[in-house]
Amino acid sequence: MNDETTAEQRGGGAGWQPEPYVLPRFNAVDNLSDALLGRGLSEKSVEALARAAVQPEDMRRKLTDVNKLRVQGGTLHIIETRLWSASVLPHPANPREYGRRSYALGGISPSLRILPEPGPTSGDGPELQIRVPRPDDLAQRLDDAKERLIKENPLDDDIAAEGVLQPLMVVPMTVWYDSAPHRPTALLITADGSSRISAVHQLLGYRPSVIAYDWAHDVRKFRREVNRWLRLPQKQDWDSLSPADQGKLRALTVPARVVVGFEPDTRAGVRFHTAVRNFIGLTHIRPPKPYGSAVENEAKGDAVLDSLAEPTRSRPARITSQEKLWFAAMINEQEAAEEGFSPHQDVRAAEIVRAVLGGGTGTARRVNEGIRSLTAKQRPHREDRVDIAVELILRPVRTARNDLVAYVRPRRAALQRAYRLKEIEELPTDALLEGGLDGSRSLEELRTAAAKEAAEGLGASGRLGVAQTELAIKAAYYMITADTMALQNEGSGAARADDSRSAVGVLRAMLSQHRGVVQAYEVVRAGRLGRPLYEVDEDGTPIRTAEGGYRNLTDARVRQTYNGEMLTEALVGIVAVRARWATVANSVENLRRAVDEMESVPADEGCGSLVKRDGWDPEQVEKARSSLDRTSRKLADWADLHNDQKKELDKDADVDSLNLW
């Protein structure tokens, strides 16, 4: 029977009556500090934990036999105890707020931008660390987090009646400041339970910033604050206290699972901050109470970016640390420009799509690892990866329109549909053709390349070329985020009743035609300039209405103009054959790239190519070569036949020429 059950029986069932705690003696706190040393915690975190313990002797005894909690990537060592509420803070980057966060790249003021996610300490102990510009930044963030949490998830009435029932998962965190790099602060934050601790602080009238920067630095103030509540039941019996005071005493302490150690799985290579985030994800993003799909995808997005930015034993990092910040919208436009990133949102969208969805199975494997770190979903689908990429893309858009559900929701759905374009998976892993850090082509050159692919039949065969795909990604971004959407989902009110094509089908039909390529180019150009989207002709000239104005580009007009007839008509003849040849050439290039990627896989970390060292199964190689040889001979026969016919035509032309004389 625990202390809460016993106390409730004493109180006759009219709410929980906590036992009469007393302030611990200083020597008991010191003894607990000594026992905590040597567990990988910093001295400041040790002091914070020892001061927070309601019963230091009990916590010290439990250190000899800690509980072990298995999470994905390792095992957390925890002690169940009670902590003073005046020593615990909500998580400063609480995932429950993901759906309403304001990101730097969306133009938010520096004073309002969100804080970075906590990372591991240099020693990789059971402690988090976070770097912020100034103490005021964290103080404001903590107070704002509390206000948001008590508004969105109010629990104070329940806690006033029964106290906090389920233990909070409490983790030490060291805060480093750019303005004072040698004066860190040690705090205790809730990896799980920020809503509960915020409700507790609301009941007691606590401001998290005061806990972090006043009581955490002054032991006497901290003990004086706690003691003023402890004296209440000493002066009068429990039943004589007002209901409000009884509620405060129930909230004075909280049950906690304090993390005091971490054992990583040696094969997983997961660090402590990732293990903590895995615990949060498995607790909230999975049942029993999901955050919601948009919030889940945002949380997964950060996990995926972590996975892409971390090198593995066999593969280098997929993106740089600065690209990670840009993709996460954690830097503003000026900071992005200083790093050399494009100011255009369509380029950022295309870079995110390429990094998260392109690159074949290698990228998919990494992205899936990030998804699994939060959800334990063993086989994430391609749709999962698309939804995550779209949520990252939308962060700057949503920052200014968080409360406009009618704007954000249909655009999220349309982007998710559009970016399921299968050709995206085949995008090369190197730089984009246009706009990227190493991109060498202009937007005009991208248009020319896409038009050339369309002329060769790519797209008409059902597969767009690389340039067409890139232009489709960029044009779709502006067509969908425009105030009047020029590309919507199938079945939308703006679409023709007899056109049930998906956004992918419309994009493919559009980019298969020269006019569609020109239209996509003009969409991107207008979008970058912040101008309305107008319908254009084959030459890129805006089409005028009967009233003399320009004709707005709408979903209905796009569907009517690019109705897919070209795709269905090109079934025979030279146009159809050219389309199929474009697919053949693309497949050959994909095969070459796949062989090169296989050859680049090292035998072990720091070693050379495995296949160059050990070779590969001769039976499998012979089977592949035999198939390639048959295909090669067939292609050679076609080439010989073409040359023979060309020679006959040239001979006939020579004869005709002689007859003229």
Side-chain angles (χ1 to χ4, degrees):
M1 186 179 294
N2 60 32
D3 59 346
E4 294 183 7
T5 305
T6 305
E8 183 171 318
Q9 291 174 350
R10 279 203 311 269
W16 172 54
Q17 181 181 344
E19 68 177 76
Y21 296 113
V22 296
L23 274 174
R25 292 174 295 180
F26 282 106
N27 64 336
V29 174
D30 293 339
N31 290 338
L32 176 56
S33 294
D34 293 339
L36 286 168
L37 290 172
R39 291 182 169 270
L41 295 165
S42 65
E43 289 187 10
K44 285 184 174 293
S45 291
V46 165
E47 293 172 3
L49 273 175
R51 182 175 63 245
V54 174
Q55 296 173 309
E57 300 92 343
D58 177 66
M59 186 172 175
R60 181 164 58 87
R61 284 193 297 270
K62 290 179 177 177
L63 281 172
T64 61
D65 188 19
V66 299
N67 295 327
K68 294 186 177 182
L69 179 64
R70 177 80 175 85
V71 296
Q72 193 167 356
T75 302
L76 300 175
H77 293 187
I78 62 174
I79 292 175
E80 293 204 8
T81 187
R82 297 195 75 85
L83 302 178
W84 300 112
S85 301
S87 64
V88 182
L89 292 160
H91 196 307
N94 187 275
R96 190 175 292 279
E97 298 177 273
Y98 263 121
R100 294 183 175 273
R101 286 185 174 183
S102 297
Y103 291 94
L105 198 59
I108 197 71
S109 167
S111 62
L112 299 177
R113 69 174 58 178
I114 66 171
L115 298 179
E117 291 288 327
T121 60
S122 56
D124 209 19
E127 182 175 344
L128 301 173
Q129 71 172 2
I130 189 171
R131 181 172 291 278
V132 299
R134 300 171 304 277
D136 286 348
D137 294 308
L138 181 61
Q140 183 64 49
R141 184 70 191 86
L142 290 169
D143 288 345
D144 289 346
K146 174 204 165 187
E147 295 302 318
R148 177 65 61 81
L149 288 167
I150 61 175
K151 179 181 179 182
E152 294 189 352
N153 194 21
L155 300 171
D156 44 330
D157 287 343
D158 293 337
I159 290 174
E162 294 295 340
V164 174
L165 297 174
Q166 294 297 318
L168 315 177
M169 180 66 78
V170 174
V171 182
M173 183 181 76
T174 301
V175 186
W176 297 87
Y177 309 104
D178 295 334
S179 59
H182 303 298
R183 297 178 60 189
T185 300
L187 305 175
L188 303 180
I189 67 166
T190 53
D192 173 53
S194 290
S195 294
R196 282 169 281 165
I197 196 62
S198 294
V200 165
H201 292 168
Q202 180 74 359
L203 282 170
L204 292 166
Y206 292 166
R207 287 178 56 197
S209 57
V210 174
I211 294 174
Y213 291 109
D214 197 359
W215 300 340
H217 293 162
D218 192 325
V219 176
R220 287 179 296 181
K221 285 185 179 180
F222 167 75
R223 290 173 68 88
R224 189 161 56 243
E225 170 59 27
V226 172
N227 202 40
R228 78 182 180 98
W229 295 112
L230 292 177
R231 287 200 298 267
L232 276 179
Q234 296 171 1
K235 295 178 180 179
Q236 52 187 314
D237 61 74
W238 177 262
D239 292 333
S240 299
L241 295 172
S242 69
D245 285 340
Q246 288 181 350
K248 290 179 172 63
L249 286 169
R250 292 182 182 117
L252 189 60
T253 68
V254 291
R257 290 176 169 180
V258 181
V259 179
V260 295
F262 174 59
E263 290 178 47
D265 288 347
T266 54
R267 296 182 64 182
V270 170
R271 303 187 72 181
F272 178 68
H273 73 297
T274 303
V276 171
R277 188 172 60 199
N278 292 349
F279 171 81
I280 297 173
L282 291 174
T283 303
H284 287 288
I285 294 178
R286 301 297 288 173
K289 187 177 180 180
Y291 287 143
S293 60
V295 178
E296 288 180 19
N297 288 329
E298 281 229 68
K300 293 174 191 173
D302 281 329
V304 165
L305 293 181
D306 273 351
S307 179
L308 294 175
E310 287 287 336
T312 67
R313 289 191 300 175
S314 60
R315 303 188 300 270
R318 179 78 167 79
I319 61 175
T320 67
S321 59
Q322 288 306 113
E323 282 179 312
K324 174 184 170 182
L325 292 175
W326 188 42
F327 292 168
M330 297 289 288
I331 55 177
N332 59 31
E333 289 186 356
Q334 180 179 345
E335 292 165 338
E338 290 171 355
E339 293 295 334
F341 298 126
S342 172
H344 306 307
Q345 290 298 328
D346 66 287
V347 174
R348 176 176 171 272
E351 289 276 18
I352 290 174
V353 165
R354 177 183 63 88
V356 176
L357 305 177
T361 57
T363 298
R365 191 179 300 114
R366 281 196 165 184
V367 173
N368 288 348
E369 288 171 0
I371 297 172
R372 282 193 294 268
S373 72
L374 282 183
T375 66
K377 188 174 184 179
Q378 293 304 307
R379 292 183 178 85
H381 300 297
R382 182 173 183 270
E383 289 76 11
D384 298 324
R385 299 191 288 274
V386 172
D387 293 352
I388 289 167
V390 167
E391 215 58 47
L392 291 171
I393 290 167
L394 281 176
R395 282 183 172 182
V397 177
R398 287 194 302 96
T399 292
R401 300 177 185 251
N402 262 337
D403 297 324
L404 300 179
V405 177
Y407 176 90
V408 175
R409 183 174 293 166
R411 284 159 178 80
R412 174 187 289 119
L415 282 171
Q416 289 171 345
R417 297 278 185 168
Y419 289 160
R420 287 175 187 170
L421 189 69
K422 289 189 177 296
E423 288 89 324
I424 289 174
E425 293 180 341
E426 299 173 4
L427 285 173
T429 55
D430 50 3
L432 292 169
L433 295 174
E434 184 270 333
L437 281 173
D438 301 318
S440 58
R441 293 192 179 185
S442 65
L443 182 60
E444 289 70 25
E445 289 171 323
L446 176 62
R447 174 196 58 192
T448 301
K452 184 174 182 292
E453 290 174 343
E456 292 172 351
L458 279 171
S461 66
R463 304 292 288 182
L464 296 173
V466 172
Q468 289 169 300
T469 302
E470 181 181 338
L471 191 55
I473 293 168
K474 293 177 175 178
Y477 173 82
Y478 291 118
M479 292 169 72
I480 291 171
T481 58
D483 280 329
T484 301
M485 294 174 68
L487 183 63
Q488 297 185 32
N489 288 334
E490 61 273 23
S492 62
R496 298 185 313 173
D498 58 346
D499 188 350
S500 61
R501 287 178 298 161
S502 67
V504 164
V506 176
L507 278 174
R508 191 175 284 127
M510 179 178 175
L511 271 297
S512 298
Q513 303 179 33
H514 176 81
R515 179 180 174 183
V517 170
V518 173
Q519 179 70 76
Y521 161 78
E522 292 295 341
V523 164
V524 175
R525 198 165 68 90
R528 291 180 180 182
L529 295 172
R531 295 175 179 171
L533 307 184
Y534 297 125
E535 187 178 3
V536 300
D537 60 18
E538 290 275 349
D539 299 321
T541 303
I543 297 175
R544 291 189 177 274
T545 64
E547 294 77 21
Y550 293 129
R551 184 184 293 172
N552 289 325
L553 190 68
T554 64
D555 181 77
R557 290 198 179 280
V558 170
R559 288 174 179 270
Q560 183 178 7
T561 304
Y562 309 103
N563 54 24
E565 289 178 359
M566 179 179 175
L567 297 178
T568 57
E569 289 177 355
L571 298 177
V572 297
I574 188 63
V575 174
V577 173
R578 282 176 177 169
R580 302 306 184 272
W581 175 254
T583 302
V584 170
N586 207 28
S587 299
V588 170
E589 176 59 23
N590 288 336
L591 173 63
R592 181 199 64 75
R593 190 182 301 126
V595 171
D596 289 344
E597 289 178 354
M598 181 173 175
E599 188 179 52
S600 68
V601 176
D604 205 341
E605 188 173 2
C607 297
S609 167
L610 185 147
V611 293
K612 281 188 174 181
R613 187 191 72 181
D614 299 340
W616 196 246
D617 183 356
E619 185 176 341
Q620 294 184 26
V621 170
E622 182 57 34
K623 184 177 179 181
R625 287 189 62 190
S626 176
S627 178
L628 289 173
D629 286 344
R630 288 195 299 272
T631 302
S632 178
R633 286 195 297 271
K634 182 181 291 186
L635 294 177
D637 289 343
W638 293 353
D640 291 342
L641 183 60
H642 182 83
N643 285 333
D644 290 343
Q645 291 185 353
K646 186 174 184 301
K647 288 177 182 178
E648 289 296 327
L649 289 173
D650 290 344
K651 186 185 300 182
D652 291 343
D654 291 341
V655 171
D656 291 341
S657 174
L658 290 172
N659 289 337
L660 289 174
W661 293 95

